[in-house]
Amino acid sequence: MMTSSEVSASPYGSQWQSINWKPIEQQVLKLQMRIAKATREGKHGRAKALQWILTHSHSAKLLAVKRVSQNKGSKTPGIDGVIWNTDARRMIAVTQLSRKGYQAKPLRRIYIPKKNGKLRPLGIPCMVDRAQQALYLLALEPISETFADPNSYGFRPNRSTADAIAQCFKCLCQKNSSQWVLEGDIKACFDKIGHQWLIDNIQLDKRMLQQWLGCGFIDKGLFYKTPEGTPQGGIISPTLMLLTLAGLEQLVKAIARKTGNRVNFIGYADDFVITGTSKEVLVNEIKPQLMHFLEERGLTLSEEKTHVTHINDGFDFLGFNVRKYKSKLLIKPSKSNVLLFLSNMRKLIKAHATMAVNDLIKLMNPKLRGWSNYYHHCVAKQTFGYVGHQIFQALWRWAVRRHPTKGKRWVAHKYFLNRKGQWQFHGWEKIADMDCAFNLVQISRTLIKRHVKIRSAATPFHPEFVDYLRKRKQTKVSRKSWFEPVPTAL
């Protein structure tokens, strides 16, 4: 076994750095498109054979290791404490990815807080298990994209919450659009999916799938079995959940045809909304069928989060509020999300009472920019102005507390610049021997830019949509805010 010094001195590091990723990605994509084509044509034996070729190819193993060793969670180890933080270790890991003799290790259980104050359990696999899941995900994703509902937007390539919200607008904006909405939420979706249903219905190597489903987890030094569910934290888990829920839209449309009602389905992960012209059809026809569909997969609807609402009363979906005001549909940031964001920003400011101004701005800017980019395609101008004012008030209190013996005019000129009548929080830095202002993002100046929804049937594994997705990627509007905190010479 190589020591860490031998690994770092080995030629593996230079091999990794010399990899040309573009032809490798093209080779894997070509195999994925062949798998998708065989699936569309009903040739499941051929698709299975192509999956085997893909999961045993060197190119796919390289991409799998690259994904798990260079993403956000790459610095979080599993129960073995191993991370692949050097190029040499990544290259060695590629040579060790093998189906023969593979045994999945238990997950490391951690807990993260939810909005309602409860804790969400996460299972962290070891690096080698993550890489194996990423490898087999490359073979499963063409199948999931083929079978997924057209208007399901969560955990799918080239899709986002913006697409789901745009579809909501499309289905509800007209005067003769559906007036009733069934808001659906599946209770503990990841934790309750039936293992036997997955093994019987998911087109993936059964031995590998059983390894990941039954590996168990370790919590506070004790081992626990996993008789149901998929690990939240596993790379392949979102796609397994997507395939578990595939067919919901088809079921809803079939019920609508029988009843003669107009119905639309919009899904994102385990959250979905169903629009209908009749409350009775949603409650008496569609909801029971949904419950039966989910029961077959070991799932249940969350009664406390599942409601039927009139569009004039509005509903919250993915952090947005969708509501009609005098027959005009407006989609705004939800009140709860606005208040939660402001609460978090106030806590951040208050917790860093003695921090240098530039460092505080560096902490705040990514959060402000990310939140404004999430909402910049909806009716959010007034909300951005309100949020900007509340953050100004919090920063003013922060600045005044730092200088209890100084006057407010002195504090204002030290921490704020007057730009066209707007006071902007700033710091100072030296650039080329010049004093420059380092500015806080002004969220109120974020431009509203409407999002162009992706075609519902578009998938990267169908030749018909390759050019469409390429052009869409090229012309896609940047998600950066209109205002950037660039240094300004004074």
Side-chain angles (χ1 to χ4, degrees):
M1 183 177 179
M2 284 188 176
T3 64
S4 58
S5 59
E6 290 173 329
V7 168
S8 59
S10 68
Y12 288 110
S14 57
Q15 289 180 23
W16 181 270
Q17 294 170 5
S18 64
I19 294 173
N20 185 359
W21 291 105
K22 190 170 182 179
I24 288 174
E25 291 169 353
Q26 290 174 343
Q27 183 180 352
V28 171
L29 179 60
K30 186 177 179 181
L31 270 173
Q32 288 178 311
M33 295 183 76
R34 291 176 64 189
I35 293 171
K37 181 182 178 183
T39 304
R40 287 193 301 272
E41 295 174 351
K43 300 177 181 178
H44 301 296
R46 180 170 178 78
K48 187 176 180 180
L50 290 168
Q51 282 183 302
W52 181 273
I53 294 172
L54 179 58
T55 54
H56 288 75
S57 72
H58 185 66
S59 296
K61 291 178 181 180
L62 284 169
L63 285 180
V65 171
K66 180 186 179 184
R67 175 173 180 177
V68 302
S69 64
Q70 296 182 352
N71 62 10
K72 290 182 179 180
S74 61
K75 297 180 181 178
T76 306
I79 61 167
D80 58 0
V82 174
I83 56 174
W84 297 337
N85 56 355
T86 66
D87 292 339
R89 288 175 180 170
R90 294 176 185 123
M91 201 67 216
I92 292 173
V94 173
T95 64
Q96 295 174 345
L97 283 187
S98 174
R99 180 183 183 276
K100 186 176 181 180
Y102 170 70
Q103 182 70 38
K105 296 182 177 65
L107 308 170
R108 181 167 73 89
R109 175 59 60 91
I110 63 172
Y111 297 89
I112 59 174
K114 298 169 68 174
K115 290 182 181 179
N116 57 9
K118 297 180 181 179
L119 294 176
R120 184 191 303 277
L122 285 184
I124 308 299
C126 298
M127 292 297 294
V128 64
D129 296 328
R130 286 181 234 175
Q132 289 281 20
Q133 289 187 25
L135 175 61
Y136 280 82
L137 176 59
L138 290 172
L140 182 62
E141 203 167 42
I143 295 174
S144 70
E145 281 293 291
T146 303
F147 288 128
D149 294 323
N151 289 300
S152 178
Y153 298 94
F155 303 131
R156 297 182 62 184
N158 304 308
R159 301 188 178 214
S160 65
T161 55
D163 293 302
I165 294 302
Q167 180 66 16
C168 287
F169 183 84
K170 182 179 177 182
C171 296
L172 295 165
C173 66
Q174 297 180 2
K175 289 185 178 180
N176 60 347
S177 296
S178 301
Q179 298 294 307
W180 293 95
V181 179
L182 171 64
E183 307 168 59
D185 183 88
I186 301 170
K187 190 175 182 179
C189 187
F190 279 98
D191 300 328
K192 297 295 182 181
I193 298 175
H195 284 184
Q196 194 57 49
W197 190 93
L198 289 171
I199 292 168
D200 293 341
N201 293 276
I202 301 299
Q203 189 173 325
L204 192 67
D205 190 309
K206 306 300 181 187
R207 178 180 172 273
M208 300 298 283
L209 184 57
Q210 287 174 332
Q211 290 274 324
W212 300 322
L213 294 177
C215 64
F217 65 90
I218 292 179
D219 187 14
K220 298 177 182 178
L222 298 177
F223 175 80
Y224 297 88
K225 293 183 179 180
T226 48
E228 60 186 4
T230 60
Q232 287 196 55
I235 289 178
I236 204 171
S237 296
T239 304
L240 293 178
M241 189 202 71
L242 182 67
L243 282 168
T244 302
L245 301 181
L248 266 177
E249 184 172 1
Q250 185 179 355
L251 173 68
V252 168
K253 295 285 187 182
I255 298 171
R257 284 193 295 270
K258 290 180 182 178
T259 58
N261 281 266
R262 186 171 66 253
V263 173
N264 291 291
F265 173 90
I266 305 105
Y268 191 94
D270 57 347
D271 295 327
F272 60 87
V273 294
I274 300 172
T275 69
T277 54
S278 168
K279 181 179 180 180
E280 289 71 24
V281 170
L282 292 176
V283 174
N284 300 326
E285 299 289 341
I286 291 179
K287 188 176 178 181
Q289 291 290 338
L290 286 176
M291 295 174 69
H292 178 69
F293 177 92
L294 296 173
E295 188 179 349
E296 292 178 345
R297 292 151 175 79
L299 302 171
T300 56
L301 281 176
S302 173
E303 291 296 332
E304 61 182 19
K305 296 181 181 179
T306 302
H307 312 282
V308 177
T309 311
H310 195 275
I311 191 61
N312 290 342
D313 298 324
F315 64 95
D316 288 348
F317 184 52
L318 303 177
F320 296 82
N321 180 260
V322 184
R323 182 179 174 185
K324 271 190 175 179
Y325 299 83
K326 296 181 180 179
S327 301
K328 184 174 183 179
L329 184 72
L330 297 181
I331 300 178
K332 305 177 182 180
S334 68
K335 184 177 179 180
S336 59
N337 272 33
V338 173
L339 296 178
L340 178 63
F341 177 71
L342 283 174
S343 175
N344 291 336
M345 293 303 293
R346 290 186 185 112
K347 288 177 182 177
L348 174 69
I349 294 168
K350 194 172 183 179
H352 298 89
T354 60
M355 177 177 279
V357 177
N358 284 10
D359 294 335
L360 180 62
I361 291 175
K362 288 176 183 177
L363 281 178
M364 294 178 64
N365 274 348
K367 298 180 184 297
L368 290 167
R369 195 179 298 113
W371 196 82
S372 63
N373 283 343
Y374 186 77
Y375 288 111
H376 82 284
H377 57 84
C378 72
V379 184
K381 196 66 178 177
Q382 186 175 358
T383 302
F384 288 158
Y386 171 76
V387 170
H389 176 69
Q390 293 298 317
I391 289 175
F392 169 83
Q393 296 285 354
L395 289 170
W396 174 254
R397 291 191 293 269
W398 175 88
V400 169
R401 279 197 300 266
R402 286 167 71 96
H403 305 280
T405 62
K406 297 291 186 180
K408 292 183 179 179
R409 187 181 297 274
W410 184 94
V411 172
H413 285 291
K414 179 174 177 60
Y415 291 103
F416 297 88
L417 289 175
N418 191 337
R419 294 192 181 280
K420 298 180 180 179
Q422 290 188 342
W423 288 94
Q424 181 178 0
F425 189 72
H426 74 97
W428 296 100
E429 61 180 350
K430 285 278 188 182
I431 297 181
D433 295 327
M434 295 176 62
D435 285 329
C436 298
F438 185 69
N439 301 321
L440 183 77
V441 164
Q442 285 188 284
I443 195 170
S444 60
R445 293 179 59 185
T446 304
L447 280 185
I448 303 300
K449 185 69 176 180
R450 297 293 174 240
H451 177 78
V452 179
K453 191 186 84 71
I454 193 172
R455 293 180 190 171
S456 297
T459 166
F461 307 114
H462 197 301
E464 179 184 344
F465 300 105
V466 171
D467 288 339
Y468 164 73
L469 291 174
R470 178 177 52 80
K471 292 177 183 177
R472 178 181 172 84
K473 189 175 182 180
Q474 290 174 350
T475 59
K476 189 175 182 180
V477 179
S478 173
R479 286 178 173 262
K480 291 183 180 180
S481 297
W482 172 251
F483 179 82
E484 294 293 340
V486 295
T488 306
L490 296 178

